[in-house]
Amino acid sequence: MARVIEVRVPDIGDFKNVPVVEILAKAGDTVEIDQSLLIVESDKATMDIPSPAAGRISELRITIGETISQGDLIALLEVEAQVEPANIPGLGRSPDHRPEIRPTGSNDCELLVIGGGPGGYSAAFRAADLGLNVILIERYPTLGGVCLNVGCIPSKALLHVAAVSEEAERLSAYGVTFAAPDIDLSKLRYFKSVTVGRLTDGLGQMAKMRKVDFVQGEARFTAADRVSVDLSNGLSREITFSKCIIAAGSSPVALPVFPEDPRIVNSTGALELPSIPRRMLVVGGGIIGLEMATVYSALGARVDLVELFDKLLPGVDRDLVKIWQKRNAHRFDRVMLATKVSEVGLTPDGLSVTFEGTESASQIYDMILQAAGRKPNSGSLALEAAGVRVEGGIISVDREMRTNVDNIFAVGDIVGQPMLAHKAVHQGHVAAEVAAGRKTGFDAKIVPSVAYTDPEIAWVGVTEDEAKAKGLAVEVSRFPWSASGRAIANGADYGLTKLIFSKESGRIVGGAIIGPAAGDIIGEVCLAIEMGADAVDIGKTIHPHPTLGETIGMAAEVAEGVCTDIPPQRGKR
């Protein structure tokens, strides 16, 4: 005897009123459990809506172009009386339910991925696309790791607010004046959280679409083919696997001189925006320190910065750093180089900090940000139980991202510098493809870096200082943005595009840019290096005008001596 059940839109995360773009079944059709009934498309993802049970569609209640949300009625389905709907989110299962693991031989899965950040979820999704049965373990309740949850994305949301706020202030020089900003921290936190949520919800949906089993918890190896997972609900679980990709990421370095105190935060704590301090100390003159200094300065804090080395942004082109420091002189009361914090005292009125080095003084602060670097998260994984070799916390891998243990791979921050999400993504793809039996390797010539400060700095490949230190014969080409019409119109004539060419081969080997959207523009330089382009290839490529991106083409023309946007170059025709 048959009965009729309602088929409703299941849990599709944070998506509401998404349009139906395709209907895959009609009234009278017989469908199987999990068979796709329709496809919806949001601005973030395309998703299929499956049937919760096997049966015959007696009536469809939706049309193409109609918008639907969780709980909306899709169809009426005739099923056998004893059949129960499948455990699809929004159709009766508890929020904490996890799908049963599909056995693969004697193991729980073909591939286990430890870590749900950019390297981990990219590896898991690519492996699933290649047909592997995948389990993904992540300590956070949502995918995305540090980058999406408490790193790259929330920081960029706040940096965007800071940049718009300061740009509005600068418009007064052009005759457009706004009132001083009125900062509502609760709304700012909400904007940051919504930004993060849109991305993490999208990842969750894509994991479901690929049937990647997500397990929240912390894993440690007990052998080369199994882990024990401390689950978020307090229980533990053993998972066995055929192959494993370690993508456990990194965490902020905690300097021993700093005691435990809620006023002393790392980058994660700073992104929570607990308050706007009157006086703030940033410890570390790298990318994270300068980005957070930009945010808090724009929100009204007075900032001091201390750096152990004798320069900010070590390893970055010095011409660009000089421009950055000049543009940001207003942001800092003091920049103390070749200086360290020797003592921190806790008082009800603030944090008393004593410095040692080129500056030796004391100062009271309301907040201290530790941004002295990051360390791989290898210590808690019990890698020795699997026989994985670790040196200084870093896992050694070959070009296939394989460790010394044949069935275990590692990607991202845990395999060493540079600790960047985009590097981890590409390594994750390689590891997944090798695990699936494909012949490939991580052979990238370069990995670009960006400081999302105001102005942005982006660089890739060989720097001028590095070339000198290594005795490389290079030609350095500079195009000042003071000769760019778009830069002048945008108030960015301070900018600079710099290209480095090998004198031996003529090919581009490096580049650096400072100015608005430098991080977006540097991609062309990356492609040029990977493709082995020379100055003629780049200069003869027609760039749209007027744009900031055309400064790359003009810098290449400078190298060839054919640029007509700057005064004539001696010795070149």
PDB file of all heavy atoms in Angstrom, residues 342-370:
ATOM      1  N   SER A 342      61.027  43.603  26.639  1.00  0.00           N
ATOM      2  CA  SER A 342      61.788  42.876  27.661  1.00  0.00           C
ATOM      3  C   SER A 342      60.964  42.560  28.895  1.00  0.00           C
ATOM      4  O   SER A 342      61.268  41.623  29.646  1.00  0.00           O
ATOM      5  CB  SER A 342      63.026  43.680  28.074  1.00  0.00           C
ATOM      6  OG  SER A 342      62.645  44.941  28.608  1.00  0.00           O
ATOM      7  N   GLU A 343      59.887  43.305  29.115  1.00  0.00           N
ATOM      8  CA  GLU A 343      59.078  43.073  30.315  1.00  0.00           C
ATOM      9  C   GLU A 343      57.686  43.654  30.124  1.00  0.00           C
ATOM     10  O   GLU A 343      57.507  44.693  29.481  1.00  0.00           O
ATOM     11  CB  GLU A 343      59.746  43.734  31.529  1.00  0.00           C
ATOM     12  CG  GLU A 343      59.080  43.427  32.859  1.00  0.00           C
ATOM     13  CD  GLU A 343      59.810  44.061  34.033  1.00  0.00           C
ATOM     14  OE1 GLU A 343      60.900  44.627  33.826  1.00  0.00           O
ATOM     15  OE2 GLU A 343      59.267  43.993  35.150  1.00  0.00           O
ATOM     16  N   VAL A 344      56.690  42.961  30.675  1.00  0.00           N
ATOM     17  CA  VAL A 344      55.310  43.441  30.624  1.00  0.00           C
ATOM     18  C   VAL A 344      54.720  43.355  32.026  1.00  0.00           C
ATOM     19  O   VAL A 344      54.712  42.284  32.644  1.00  0.00           O
ATOM     20  CB  VAL A 344      54.453  42.612  29.650  1.00  0.00           C
ATOM     21  CG1 VAL A 344      53.001  43.119  29.659  1.00  0.00           C
ATOM     22  CG2 VAL A 344      55.018  42.664  28.244  1.00  0.00           C
ATOM     23  N   GLY A 345      54.239  44.476  32.515  1.00  0.00           N
ATOM     24  CA  GLY A 345      53.603  44.512  33.820  1.00  0.00           C
ATOM     25  C   GLY A 345      52.103  44.717  33.687  1.00  0.00           C
ATOM     26  O   GLY A 345      51.650  45.497  32.848  1.00  0.00           O
ATOM     27  N   LEU A 346      51.339  43.991  34.503  1.00  0.00           N
ATOM     28  CA  LEU A 346      49.881  44.096  34.470  1.00  0.00           C
ATOM     29  C   LEU A 346      49.405  45.021  35.581  1.00  0.00           C
ATOM     30  O   LEU A 346      49.703  44.801  36.761  1.00  0.00           O
ATOM     31  CB  LEU A 346      49.249  42.711  34.641  1.00  0.00           C
ATOM     32  CG  LEU A 346      49.725  41.619  33.673  1.00  0.00           C
ATOM     33  CD1 LEU A 346      49.027  40.299  33.989  1.00  0.00           C
ATOM     34  CD2 LEU A 346      49.474  42.023  32.241  1.00  0.00           C
ATOM     35  N   THR A 347      48.680  46.060  35.214  1.00  0.00           N
ATOM     36  CA  THR A 347      48.115  46.976  36.198  1.00  0.00           C
ATOM     37  C   THR A 347      46.654  47.225  35.842  1.00  0.00           C
ATOM     38  O   THR A 347      46.247  47.036  34.689  1.00  0.00           O
ATOM     39  CB  THR A 347      48.862  48.330  36.215  1.00  0.00           C
ATOM     40  OG1 THR A 347      48.541  49.055  35.021  1.00  0.00           O
ATOM     41  CG2 THR A 347      50.372  48.132  36.287  1.00  0.00           C
ATOM     42  N   PRO A 348      45.844  47.664  36.791  1.00  0.00           N
ATOM     43  CA  PRO A 348      44.440  47.976  36.477  1.00  0.00           C
ATOM     44  C   PRO A 348      44.298  49.078  35.440  1.00  0.00           C
ATOM     45  O   PRO A 348      43.315  49.130  34.704  1.00  0.00           O
ATOM     46  CB  PRO A 348      43.865  48.414  37.829  1.00  0.00           C
ATOM     47  CG  PRO A 348      44.766  47.794  38.848  1.00  0.00           C
ATOM     48  CD  PRO A 348      46.133  47.794  38.235  1.00  0.00           C
ATOM     49  N   ASP A 349      45.306  49.952  35.364  1.00  0.00           N
ATOM     50  CA  ASP A 349      45.236  51.083  34.445  1.00  0.00           C
ATOM     51  C   ASP A 349      45.764  50.762  33.054  1.00  0.00           C
ATOM     52  O   ASP A 349      45.640  51.587  32.143  1.00  0.00           O
ATOM     53  CB  ASP A 349      46.023  52.270  35.014  1.00  0.00           C
ATOM     54  CG  ASP A 349      45.434  52.759  36.330  1.00  0.00           C
ATOM     55  OD1 ASP A 349      44.199  52.687  36.470  1.00  0.00           O
ATOM     56  OD2 ASP A 349      46.213  53.200  37.192  1.00  0.00           O
ATOM     57  N   GLY A 350      46.384  49.593  32.882  1.00  0.00           N
ATOM     58  CA  GLY A 350      46.922  49.266  31.566  1.00  0.00           C
ATOM     59  C   GLY A 350      48.053  48.260  31.651  1.00  0.00           C
ATOM     60  O   GLY A 350      48.340  47.681  32.706  1.00  0.00           O
ATOM     61  N   LEU A 351      48.711  48.073  30.515  1.00  0.00           N
ATOM     62  CA  LEU A 351      49.826  47.142  30.381  1.00  0.00           C
ATOM     63  C   LEU A 351      51.118  47.944  30.287  1.00  0.00           C
ATOM     64  O   LEU A 351      51.309  48.695  29.331  1.00  0.00           O
ATOM     65  CB  LEU A 351      49.636  46.277  29.131  1.00  0.00           C
ATOM     66  CG  LEU A 351      48.319  45.494  29.075  1.00  0.00           C
ATOM     67  CD1 LEU A 351      48.020  45.057  27.639  1.00  0.00           C
ATOM     68  CD2 LEU A 351      48.377  44.282  29.999  1.00  0.00           C
ATOM     69  N   SER A 352      51.965  47.781  31.271  1.00  0.00           N
ATOM     70  CA  SER A 352      53.218  48.521  31.305  1.00  0.00           C
ATOM     71  C   SER A 352      54.291  47.724  30.569  1.00  0.00           C
ATOM     72  O   SER A 352      54.636  46.616  30.964  1.00  0.00           O
ATOM     73  CB  SER A 352      53.647  48.762  32.758  1.00  0.00           C
ATOM     74  OG  SER A 352      54.909  49.409  32.811  1.00  0.00           O
ATOM     75  N   VAL A 353      54.818  48.291  29.476  1.00  0.00           N
ATOM     76  CA  VAL A 353      55.760  47.580  28.615  1.00  0.00           C
ATOM     77  C   VAL A 353      57.109  48.278  28.654  1.00  0.00           C
ATOM     78  O   VAL A 353      57.208  49.496  28.477  1.00  0.00           O
ATOM     79  CB  VAL A 353      55.246  47.519  27.165  1.00  0.00           C
ATOM     80  CG1 VAL A 353      56.247  46.794  26.270  1.00  0.00           C
ATOM     81  CG2 VAL A 353      53.887  46.845  27.118  1.00  0.00           C
ATOM     82  N   THR A 354      58.155  47.475  28.869  1.00  0.00           N
ATOM     83  CA  THR A 354      59.525  47.971  28.826  1.00  0.00           C
ATOM     84  C   THR A 354      60.209  47.432  27.581  1.00  0.00           C
ATOM     85  O   THR A 354      60.110  46.244  27.272  1.00  0.00           O
ATOM     86  CB  THR A 354      60.315  47.523  30.073  1.00  0.00           C
ATOM     87  OG1 THR A 354      59.630  47.992  31.250  1.00  0.00           O
ATOM     88  CG2 THR A 354      61.729  48.077  30.049  1.00  0.00           C
ATOM     89  N   PHE A 355      60.902  48.319  26.857  1.00  0.00           N
ATOM     90  CA  PHE A 355      61.556  47.953  25.609  1.00  0.00           C
ATOM     91  C   PHE A 355      63.068  47.889  25.801  1.00  0.00           C
ATOM     92  O   PHE A 355      63.637  48.565  26.655  1.00  0.00           O
ATOM     93  CB  PHE A 355      61.224  48.974  24.514  1.00  0.00           C
ATOM     94  CG  PHE A 355      59.757  49.083  24.222  1.00  0.00           C
ATOM     95  CD1 PHE A 355      59.003  50.119  24.751  1.00  0.00           C
ATOM     96  CD2 PHE A 355      59.132  48.143  23.419  1.00  0.00           C
ATOM     97  CE1 PHE A 355      57.650  50.229  24.483  1.00  0.00           C
ATOM     98  CE2 PHE A 355      57.775  48.241  23.149  1.00  0.00           C
ATOM     99  CZ  PHE A 355      57.032  49.281  23.674  1.00  0.00           C
ATOM    100  N   GLU A 356      63.696  47.081  24.932  1.00  0.00           N
ATOM    101  CA  GLU A 356      65.141  46.913  24.977  1.00  0.00           C
ATOM    102  C   GLU A 356      65.678  46.877  23.556  1.00  0.00           C
ATOM    103  O   GLU A 356      65.152  46.151  22.706  1.00  0.00           O
ATOM    104  CB  GLU A 356      65.487  45.606  25.701  1.00  0.00           C
ATOM    105  CG  GLU A 356      66.955  45.298  25.825  1.00  0.00           C
ATOM    106  CD  GLU A 356      67.187  43.969  26.515  1.00  0.00           C
ATOM    107  OE1 GLU A 356      66.673  43.785  27.634  1.00  0.00           O
ATOM    108  OE2 GLU A 356      67.865  43.107  25.906  1.00  0.00           O
ATOM    109  N   GLY A 357      66.706  47.681  23.280  1.00  0.00           N
ATOM    110  CA  GLY A 357      67.274  47.731  21.935  1.00  0.00           C
ATOM    111  C   GLY A 357      67.587  49.163  21.553  1.00  0.00           C
ATOM    112  O   GLY A 357      68.099  49.925  22.379  1.00  0.00           O
ATOM    113  N   THR A 358      67.304  49.530  20.298  1.00  0.00           N
ATOM    114  CA  THR A 358      67.557  50.909  19.885  1.00  0.00           C
ATOM    115  C   THR A 358      66.663  51.882  20.644  1.00  0.00           C
ATOM    116  O   THR A 358      66.976  53.063  20.749  1.00  0.00           O
ATOM    117  CB  THR A 358      67.297  51.068  18.373  1.00  0.00           C
ATOM    118  OG1 THR A 358      65.978  50.639  18.076  1.00  0.00           O
ATOM    119  CG2 THR A 358      68.288  50.246  17.570  1.00  0.00           C
ATOM    120  N   GLU A 359      65.541  51.379  21.155  1.00  0.00           N
ATOM    121  CA  GLU A 359      64.663  52.181  22.015  1.00  0.00           C
ATOM    122  C   GLU A 359      64.595  51.490  23.369  1.00  0.00           C
ATOM    123  O   GLU A 359      64.317  50.301  23.454  1.00  0.00           O
ATOM    124  CB  GLU A 359      63.255  52.271  21.411  1.00  0.00           C
ATOM    125  CG  GLU A 359      63.234  52.857  20.021  1.00  0.00           C
ATOM    126  CD  GLU A 359      62.531  54.186  19.972  1.00  0.00           C
ATOM    127  OE1 GLU A 359      62.073  54.651  21.025  1.00  0.00           O
ATOM    128  OE2 GLU A 359      62.455  54.757  18.881  1.00  0.00           O
ATOM    129  N   SER A 360      64.876  52.208  24.409  1.00  0.00           N
ATOM    130  CA  SER A 360      64.797  51.632  25.758  1.00  0.00           C
ATOM    131  C   SER A 360      63.988  52.584  26.629  1.00  0.00           C
ATOM    132  O   SER A 360      64.501  53.539  27.172  1.00  0.00           O
ATOM    133  CB  SER A 360      66.197  51.428  26.351  1.00  0.00           C
ATOM    134  OG  SER A 360      66.933  52.628  26.306  1.00  0.00           O
ATOM    135  N   ALA A 361      62.704  52.296  26.690  1.00  0.00           N
ATOM    136  CA  ALA A 361      61.802  53.149  27.463  1.00  0.00           C
ATOM    137  C   ALA A 361      60.630  52.287  27.917  1.00  0.00           C
ATOM    138  O   ALA A 361      60.552  51.101  27.636  1.00  0.00           O
ATOM    139  CB  ALA A 361      61.314  54.317  26.605  1.00  0.00           C
ATOM    140  N   SER A 362      59.703  52.898  28.651  1.00  0.00           N
ATOM    141  CA  SER A 362      58.498  52.202  29.101  1.00  0.00           C
ATOM    142  C   SER A 362      57.271  52.979  28.640  1.00  0.00           C
ATOM    143  O   SER A 362      57.330  54.204  28.466  1.00  0.00           O
ATOM    144  CB  SER A 362      58.496  52.054  30.626  1.00  0.00           C
ATOM    145  OG  SER A 362      59.566  51.235  31.045  1.00  0.00           O
ATOM    146  N   GLN A 363      56.178  52.257  28.453  1.00  0.00           N
ATOM    147  CA  GLN A 363      54.950  52.897  28.001  1.00  0.00           C
ATOM    148  C   GLN A 363      53.764  52.070  28.480  1.00  0.00           C
ATOM    149  O   GLN A 363      53.841  50.846  28.605  1.00  0.00           O
ATOM    150  CB  GLN A 363      54.939  52.993  26.467  1.00  0.00           C
ATOM    151  CG  GLN A 363      53.701  53.626  25.877  1.00  0.00           C
ATOM    152  CD  GLN A 363      53.560  55.094  26.244  1.00  0.00           C
ATOM    153  OE1 GLN A 363      54.475  55.888  26.033  1.00  0.00           O
ATOM    154  NE2 GLN A 363      52.420  55.451  26.829  1.00  0.00           N
ATOM    155  N   ILE A 364      52.642  52.734  28.738  1.00  0.00           N
ATOM    156  CA  ILE A 364      51.411  52.066  29.148  1.00  0.00           C
ATOM    157  C   ILE A 364      50.497  51.918  27.938  1.00  0.00           C
ATOM    158  O   ILE A 364      50.284  52.870  27.183  1.00  0.00           O
ATOM    159  CB  ILE A 364      50.681  52.863  30.251  1.00  0.00           C
ATOM    160  CG1 ILE A 364      51.571  53.012  31.488  1.00  0.00           C
ATOM    161  CG2 ILE A 364      49.360  52.192  30.604  1.00  0.00           C
ATOM    162  CD1 ILE A 364      51.778  51.725  32.236  1.00  0.00           C
ATOM    163  N   TYR A 365      49.946  50.701  27.754  1.00  0.00           N
ATOM    164  CA  TYR A 365      49.042  50.438  26.633  1.00  0.00           C
ATOM    165  C   TYR A 365      47.744  49.823  27.153  1.00  0.00           C
ATOM    166  O   TYR A 365      47.720  49.156  28.190  1.00  0.00           O
ATOM    167  CB  TYR A 365      49.688  49.484  25.624  1.00  0.00           C
ATOM    168  CG  TYR A 365      50.921  50.048  24.968  1.00  0.00           C
ATOM    169  CD1 TYR A 365      52.192  49.719  25.441  1.00  0.00           C
ATOM    170  CD2 TYR A 365      50.823  50.920  23.890  1.00  0.00           C
ATOM    171  CE1 TYR A 365      53.331  50.237  24.849  1.00  0.00           C
ATOM    172  CE2 TYR A 365      51.952  51.450  23.289  1.00  0.00           C
ATOM    173  CZ  TYR A 365      53.206  51.107  23.774  1.00  0.00           C
ATOM    174  OH  TYR A 365      54.336  51.642  23.182  1.00  0.00           O
ATOM    175  N   ASP A 366      46.684  50.013  26.354  1.00  0.00           N
ATOM    176  CA  ASP A 366      45.397  49.407  26.674  1.00  0.00           C
ATOM    177  C   ASP A 366      45.264  48.018  26.047  1.00  0.00           C
ATOM    178  O   ASP A 366      44.488  47.180  26.528  1.00  0.00           O
ATOM    179  CB  ASP A 366      44.248  50.293  26.160  1.00  0.00           C
ATOM    180  CG  ASP A 366      44.340  51.704  26.713  1.00  0.00           C
ATOM    181  OD1 ASP A 366      44.390  51.843  27.942  1.00  0.00           O
ATOM    182  OD2 ASP A 366      44.374  52.654  25.904  1.00  0.00           O
ATOM    183  N   MET A 367      45.990  47.780  24.953  1.00  0.00           N
ATOM    184  CA  MET A 367      45.941  46.486  24.269  1.00  0.00           C
ATOM    185  C   MET A 367      47.289  46.213  23.626  1.00  0.00           C
ATOM    186  O   MET A 367      47.958  47.138  23.144  1.00  0.00           O
ATOM    187  CB  MET A 367      44.839  46.456  23.194  1.00  0.00           C
ATOM    188  CG  MET A 367      44.774  45.152  22.398  1.00  0.00           C
ATOM    189  SD  MET A 367      43.630  45.205  20.991  1.00  0.00           S
ATOM    190  CE  MET A 367      42.054  45.242  21.854  1.00  0.00           C
ATOM    191  N   ILE A 368      47.672  44.937  23.632  1.00  0.00           N
ATOM    192  CA  ILE A 368      48.891  44.506  22.935  1.00  0.00           C
ATOM    193  C   ILE A 368      48.500  43.403  21.961  1.00  0.00           C
ATOM    194  O   ILE A 368      47.818  42.444  22.332  1.00  0.00           O
ATOM    195  CB  ILE A 368      49.964  43.978  23.906  1.00  0.00           C
ATOM    196  CG1 ILE A 368      50.421  45.086  24.866  1.00  0.00           C
ATOM    197  CG2 ILE A 368      51.163  43.426  23.133  1.00  0.00           C
ATOM    198  CD1 ILE A 368      51.388  44.591  25.936  1.00  0.00           C
ATOM    199  N   LEU A 369      48.943  43.550  20.720  1.00  0.00           N
ATOM    200  CA  LEU A 369      48.741  42.517  19.713  1.00  0.00           C
ATOM    201  C   LEU A 369      50.063  41.800  19.460  1.00  0.00           C
ATOM    202  O   LEU A 369      51.043  42.429  19.077  1.00  0.00           O
ATOM    203  CB  LEU A 369      48.235  43.117  18.396  1.00  0.00           C
ATOM    204  CG  LEU A 369      48.318  42.193  17.166  1.00  0.00           C
ATOM    205  CD1 LEU A 369      47.420  40.979  17.335  1.00  0.00           C
ATOM    206  CD2 LEU A 369      47.975  42.961  15.885  1.00  0.00           C
ATOM    207  N   GLN A 370      50.067  40.491  19.699  1.00  0.00           N
ATOM    208  CA  GLN A 370      51.230  39.678  19.346  1.00  0.00           C
ATOM    209  C   GLN A 370      51.076  39.221  17.900  1.00  0.00           C
ATOM    210  O   GLN A 370      50.153  38.468  17.589  1.00  0.00           O
ATOM    211  CB  GLN A 370      51.328  38.447  20.233  1.00  0.00           C
ATOM    212  CG  GLN A 370      51.677  38.713  21.676  1.00  0.00           C
ATOM    213  CD  GLN A 370      52.021  37.416  22.385  1.00  0.00           C
ATOM    214  OE1 GLN A 370      53.089  36.835  22.180  1.00  0.00           O
ATOM    215  NE2 GLN A 370      51.123  36.951  23.227  1.00  0.00           N
TER     216      GLN A 370
END
